[in-house]
């Protein structure tokens, strides 16, 4: 086709391969020529709408809908969540796309006062959260997991931009994080105590109680899955949490 171009070695080739790995389309050969057929302008369509590509390989021509293209992605606006409020700050840290070394967004830089306010807010929230019935906490966490799955596309494409994962790996990480949250939410229903016999007519009752405010630190290489291991475990146990993610992701 006149406007076709090879995608081998380019971002688009990486995207096509990633979508293929995710099971959305069949595997394609190493050399693929693609003709882009835009039905309507991208700016007039929702972010979840696909671009249509006509792929010509040794298996013949076929049309494929691809939902993720790196050049179409927008990085979300990031704010601090302190005491139930989203807060922006003038001092920020740049988020670099490792594929292009371009700045894709900025994250706010928390001050010492922000940290102190976060600790105080978490302590206040703990007094309410730890007194909730485990079933109530589980229902809230399961709803959060449901929202993560519904927003899988947006979360995955932000991960591709900031961390450099393939699309398939980013989608997998979002799904794994949601599964971790679901598992821990249900595990919170099974925080059983123990009755320990200590001697004749003497028994000891052991209860599991929330320990308090938890500080969580997450690395750059798993920006969704690693924080969720801290978040899900702490919240399902009835604790409050302050999370410090990596600056890079």
């Amino acid at each position: 086709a006149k406007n076709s171009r090879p995608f081998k070695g380019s971002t688009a080739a990486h995207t096509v391969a990633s979508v293929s790995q995710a099971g959305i389309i069949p595997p394609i050969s190493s050399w693929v020529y693609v003709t882009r057929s835009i039905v309507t302008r991208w700016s007039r369509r929702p972010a979840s709408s696909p671009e249509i590509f006509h792929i010509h390989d040794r298996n013949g021509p076929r049309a494929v809908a691809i939902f993720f293209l790196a050049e179409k992605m927008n990085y979300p606006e990031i704010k601090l969540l302190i005491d139930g409020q989203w807060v922006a700050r003038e001092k920020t840290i740049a988020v670099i796309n490792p594929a292009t070394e371009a700045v894709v967004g900025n994250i706010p830089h928390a001050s010492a006062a922000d940290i102190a306010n976060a600790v105080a807010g978490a302590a206040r929230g703990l007094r309410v959260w730890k007194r909730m019935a485990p079933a109530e906490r589980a229902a809230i966490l399961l709803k959060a997991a449901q929202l993560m799955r519904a927003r899988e596309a947006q979360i995955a494409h932000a991960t591709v931009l900031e961390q450099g994962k393939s699309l398939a790996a980013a989608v997998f990480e979002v799904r794994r994080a949601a599964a971790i949250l679901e598992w821990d939410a249900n595990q919170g229903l099974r925080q059983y105590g123990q009755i320990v016999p200590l001697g004749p007519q003497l028994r000891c009752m052991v209860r599991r109680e929330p320990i308090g405010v938890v500080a969580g630190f997450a690395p750059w290489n798993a920006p969704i899955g690693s924080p969720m291991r801290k978040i899900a475990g702490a919240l399902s146990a009835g604790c409050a949490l302050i999370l410090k993610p990596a600056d890079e992701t």
Side-chain angles (χ1 to χ4, degrees):
K2 182 178 179 180
N3 295 323
S4 296
R5 60 188 177 94
F7 276 15
K8 184 178 181 181
S10 67
T11 301
H14 185 66
T15 303
V16 171
S18 298
V19 175
S20 176
Q21 293 168 17
I24 300 173
I25 62 174
I28 56 179
S29 59
S30 58
W31 277 98
V32 175
Y33 288 86
V34 176
T35 302
R36 188 173 302 185
S37 174
I38 309 299
V39 179
T40 57
R41 292 182 62 84
W42 181 274
S43 60
R44 295 179 181 176
R45 287 186 288 146
S48 59
S49 297
E51 286 202 27
I52 307 301
F53 289 87
H54 298 289
I55 294 182
H56 301 267
D57 62 11
R58 55 186 156 191
N59 297 318
R62 48 202 167 91
V64 176
I66 299 180
F67 286 79
F68 302 93
L69 286 173
E71 62 268 25
K72 302 297 183 182
M73 297 177 181
N74 293 319
Y75 194 73
E77 181 183 4
I78 305 298
K79 296 182 178 181
L80 302 172
L81 180 59
I82 299 176
D83 198 12
Q85 301 294 322
W86 292 106
V87 180
R89 289 289 178 261
E90 290 187 6
K91 186 177 181 180
T92 61
I93 301 171
V95 178
I96 308 297
N97 184 333
T100 64
E101 297 187 348
V103 176
V104 296
N106 293 280
I107 58 173
H109 187 281
S111 65
D114 288 328
I115 297 173
N117 291 336
V119 172
R124 287 191 294 272
L126 175 66
R127 292 195 289 269
V128 177
W129 185 248
K130 71 178 183 179
R131 289 188 174 90
M132 293 180 66
E136 292 181 87
R137 293 199 296 260
I140 294 172
L141 297 180
L142 290 172
K143 178 62 177 178
Q146 181 183 354
L147 291 173
M148 281 192 66
R149 293 188 183 278
R151 299 169 186 174
E152 175 183 286
Q154 297 95 314
I155 300 172
H157 90 235
T159 304
V160 170
L161 284 176
E162 68 183 8
Q163 202 266 334
K165 287 183 184 292
S166 67
L167 176 62
V171 169
F172 173 80
E173 186 174 345
V174 176
R175 293 175 181 174
R176 182 182 65 175
I180 291 171
L181 184 54
E182 290 163 344
W183 193 91
D184 279 350
N186 287 295
Q187 190 67 12
L189 299 173
R190 296 181 283 271
Q191 298 184 52
Y192 307 129
Q194 291 179 302
I195 301 296
V196 182
L198 297 180
Q201 300 181 343
L202 182 61
R203 295 176 182 175
C204 176
M205 183 176 70
V206 179
R207 298 195 325 175
R208 298 181 183 273
E209 295 184 352
I211 195 171
V213 177
V214 175
F217 298 84
W220 64 271
N221 60 323
I224 309 299
S226 183
M228 186 54 71
R229 291 190 179 277
K230 282 79 173 174
I231 295 169
L235 294 183
S236 66
C239 297
L241 175 82
I242 296 174
L243 180 69
K244 167 57 175 71
D247 294 347
E248 297 86 352
T249 54

